[in-house]
Amino acid sequence: MDLNKLDQDLTAIVEKRIALSKITYADERYDDIEEELHDLEDDFNEDYGDVLEAELEKIYKKLKSDNDVLLPSAYLANAYVPMLPDANGTVSYEVKGPQGVPVESDQFENQDVRIVLIPNPCRFVMQINGVSLKDLWRAR
């Protein structure tokens, strides 16, 4: 798997989500941007679904969760906050508040545990009660 392309494709989805969040339904561009976003997500699932779902299976097993693994695009956050670019000009992102897919696990009783997909580097992050705490898997 080309990890650079994985990050580029995931970043394109995140940037499209950010662009969509900055306009209202009334904006004439909304439907076009939303359609482009869905196309990007479909392509992402097709290109990387098997690999990422296999990693999610391992994560769920480690968390001792009986939840079903979903398509990778389901783990995308609704909102991403871009960070300042690094020395190479690569922008990383953070996620604030409860985002991603809720996961049930006896290890984390009475807590809101979620898994969210974040680019640069591509990684699945565990959130507990809306705080990103741990990378569960990193592409690099």
Side-chain angles (χ1 to χ4, degrees):
M1 174 170 46
D2 182 345
L3 298 179
N4 289 327
K5 181 155 176 31
L6 171 64
D7 268 330
Q8 289 170 356
D9 292 350
L10 185 53
T11 299
I13 292 170
V14 167
E15 288 297 327
K16 196 65 70 175
R17 281 183 174 235
I18 291 170
L20 197 61
S21 72
K22 292 181 179 180
I23 60 176
T24 66
Y25 294 117
D27 191 304
E28 61 187 33
R29 299 170 296 157
Y30 191 92
D31 288 337
D32 291 336
I33 294 173
E34 185 178 46
E35 186 174 324
E36 290 170 16
L37 174 62
H38 291 308
D39 289 344
L40 288 171
E41 290 174 352
D42 290 344
D43 291 344
F44 185 81
N45 287 330
E46 186 175 314
D47 293 344
Y48 308 106
D50 291 341
V51 173
L52 295 178
E53 287 173 32
E55 294 302 331
L56 284 162
E57 291 283 351
K58 294 175 192 173
I59 290 169
Y60 278 53
K61 188 175 182 177
K62 190 182 292 185
L63 295 175
K64 297 180 180 154
S65 175
D66 291 334
N67 291 85
D68 291 331
V69 170
L70 305 176
L71 290 172
S73 62
Y75 296 85
L76 292 164
N78 291 325
Y80 290 87
V81 178
M83 308 295 285
L84 293 175
D86 65 12
N88 297 324
T90 303
V91 175
S92 191
Y93 300 86
E94 67 178 359
V95 174
K96 295 183 179 180
Q99 300 281 333
V101 174
V103 177
E104 295 174 17
S105 172
D106 291 339
Q107 296 177 23
F108 302 98
E109 279 190 52
N110 303 320
Q111 298 191 52
D112 180 20
V113 178
R114 295 171 183 255
I115 298 174
V116 63
L117 182 58
I118 302 175
N120 296 331
C122 178
R123 62 202 183 276
F124 287 108
V125 176
M126 179 171 62
Q127 286 190 331
I128 298 179
N129 300 325
V131 178
S132 296
L133 293 179
K134 180 178 180 180
D135 289 358
L136 299 170
W137 174 83
R138 293 174 73 104
R140 299 181 192 267

